[in-house]
Amino acid sequence: MMESYTMKQDKNRQSPQRLHRRMSACIVFLFAFCLLIVGRLFWLQVIQGADLTRRADNQTEMDRELQSPRGSILDRNGKVLAISEMAKSLYADPTMIKRTPAEVAKILAPYLRINEAEITERLSRDTAFVWLDRTMDADKYEALKAVIDKEKLQGLRFVDENHRYYPNGSLAAQLIGFVGTEDKGLSGIEMVLDDEIRGGVQQLRITTDRNAVPIFDSALEKVLPDKERTARLTIDETLQFAVEQNLDTIMTRHKPTGAAIIIMDPKTGEILAMGSRPTFNLNEYGKGNVEQYKNRAVINLYEPGSTFKPIVAASALDAGKWRLDQVYHDQGFIDVDDRTIHNWDNEGNGNVTLKEILKFSINTGMAKIAMTAGADTLITYAKRFGFGEPTGIELPGEGEGILFNAKDMTPINEATMGIGQSIAVTPLQMVQAFGAIANKGHMMKPFVVKEIDNPDGTIYKKTEPQEVGQPVSEATATAISQILAEEVSSGGGQNAHIAGYRFGGKTGTAQRLNAAGTGYAEGQYISSFIGFGPIENPQYVVLIVVDNPSGIYYGAQVAAPIFKELMTDIIRFKGIPPSQSVEGTPKSLQAVGPTKPTYTIPPVERTAQGVRLPSFMGWDSREVNDWLNSANLGFVPHGTGRAISQSPVAGSYALPGSDVTVTFSR
């Protein structure tokens, strides 16, 4: 008993010591724990503080770019050709989508511009952001939004972006150009003026919830983007519409590979209209192709054929190498080196002057004039007329053309250059050169940007008309103009004649260069007509180029009628008064007035056998031309004056599209 009590006392004496040890252990543990917490806090707040702050911001904030609207593009009268508007774009966060990518893609595909497979691929990416469609059409957006709400799809979000809109669709498509999804101009004026009219970008940081949905999304609507500069072009929307309609007529009527029309003011160089075919809708530019994007009026190279003859004639006349009254005896052919050049109809015209050579497009006479002028004169004046180098217009891709080096030219090169071969030009170069003839010898630089205006209406930049040379004297230009007026009134360009008005012009039919540019494509032609006027006060230079028409390919039958139709519209639109006789015109250059016919011109009679031909005896060339044109028959005239024979003969039948040869004599 005593022993048990003693042991109990010893145990009680050991309890304070044990308690002290335990307390010490707890204190050490608590100190170590606190030290660990402090160390962890130091690590997180000091060592990793900046990185964690950034990560936290990324989870609760996001940057959003607000693109200022791109500046508008207007025509010369302030009509809108291109404007920016807000549109919805769709993006997805694949990590938030609850359904399989394939299921979601099947639902979205009918409303997006990418196919189901592409949508599936994008939704399968290891990312938190992917675009599905940009700047959607309003109807597509509304329909898709309704489907997303109905299907309760998650991870899909719409944002506002600027969208370029072209009110007139394909009007002047190649000239205006289009804008990509990043608001960057990709062609035409949109590309050339990208720096001047492209909208700025504002960076905004907004708070989002855990699903990256902006908490204050409506706040963005209160932020007004900056306005940008506006570009005003020289284009006249009314004339451009007329050009587009006539290009469509060409494509329907002649089914060519392509076509181009340019209208320029010869006094200022302002391009009033410019169009090409094939074309595309600017609002759906993604559906276009390389050929449709091509601005043929600026880029394409072609041999001008007979439309170049007035340039050669003006050069020889101005250089004193040929005279207006100088006589050339035309046999129908001319031998040059080892080659023979024939007239287009293989017929001779006897003694002719420069007026007849141009008026009836006599190849032999032009070859003789060119060889008489010589290589140095031909090339020097061609350069003075602007050939062989770009005009410098504010449009991309302009061609330079091709000119001989005068030292390398042989007599046959000189002769062929006289008839518009052995030289390659762009349509715009031809318009610039004929502008000089129309403008009393003064050549103006073509331009298409009239001015760029600041947002407050002040002018940022303005283009002033620029004379780039005087290739020929006023006397030479006037003489050639008067001859070309007779070309239209009673020569090879009669299909361009407009009753009551005097326009000058020249038809052209040239073989088409092959794709390699090393020769001619068999059976393919370039049909063209270039005209200007009214002669008393030239306001317009118009070039029509038709590339490889089907069936009839002569410029007189293909392009000249289009000039007449187009200029008739312009006369009506602009209220141009009828022409008056020009005082002081040399008698040798005045057109002979019409005489009263002693015969009746019958209507066109079409039968199953073809078109029944009347007797053309006594008719003048204009009357024959008008009748055959209305009958859709080609016209091959010989000589001048009144008809004395014809083939096929009167009473026979001619198939539509075939040629009728008529010989005239004074």
Side-chain angles (χ1 to χ4, degrees), residues 459-538:
I459 297 176
Y460 170 73
K461 186 185 296 183
K462 185 175 183 179
T463 306
E464 297 292 345
Q466 178 184 354
E467 183 173 336
V468 290
Q470 185 174 356
V472 294
S473 67
E474 179 177 341
T476 297
T478 300
I480 297 298
S481 294
Q482 295 299 326
I483 292 173
L484 294 181
E486 290 202 37
E487 156 95 3
V488 172
S489 65
S490 56
Q494 292 179 65
N495 280 340
H497 177 71
I498 302 172
Y501 292 85
R502 295 186 69 219
F503 284 89
K506 188 75 187 75
T507 61
T509 307
Q511 288 180 280
R512 190 170 184 255
L513 296 172
N514 59 31
T518 56
Y520 298 108
E522 183 67 28
Q524 297 185 24
Y525 298 89
I526 300 288
S527 304
S528 62
F529 182 88
I530 187 163
F532 56 89
I535 288 295
E536 299 83 353
N537 180 27

Side-chain angles (χ1 to χ4, degrees), residues 88-92 112 114 118-119 122-123 125 127 129-135 157-161 182:
K88 296 292 184 180
S89 292
L90 176 67
Y91 72 88
L112 304 183
I114 56 176
E118 178 66 15
I119 299 171
R122 295 189 187 187
L123 295 179
R125 295 176 186 174
T127 180
F129 180 91
V130 62
W131 284 115
L132 294 180
D133 206 347
R134 309 286 293 275
T135 59
R157 188 76 181 154
F158 291 101
V159 295
D160 288 326
E161 285 196 297
E182 300 301 328

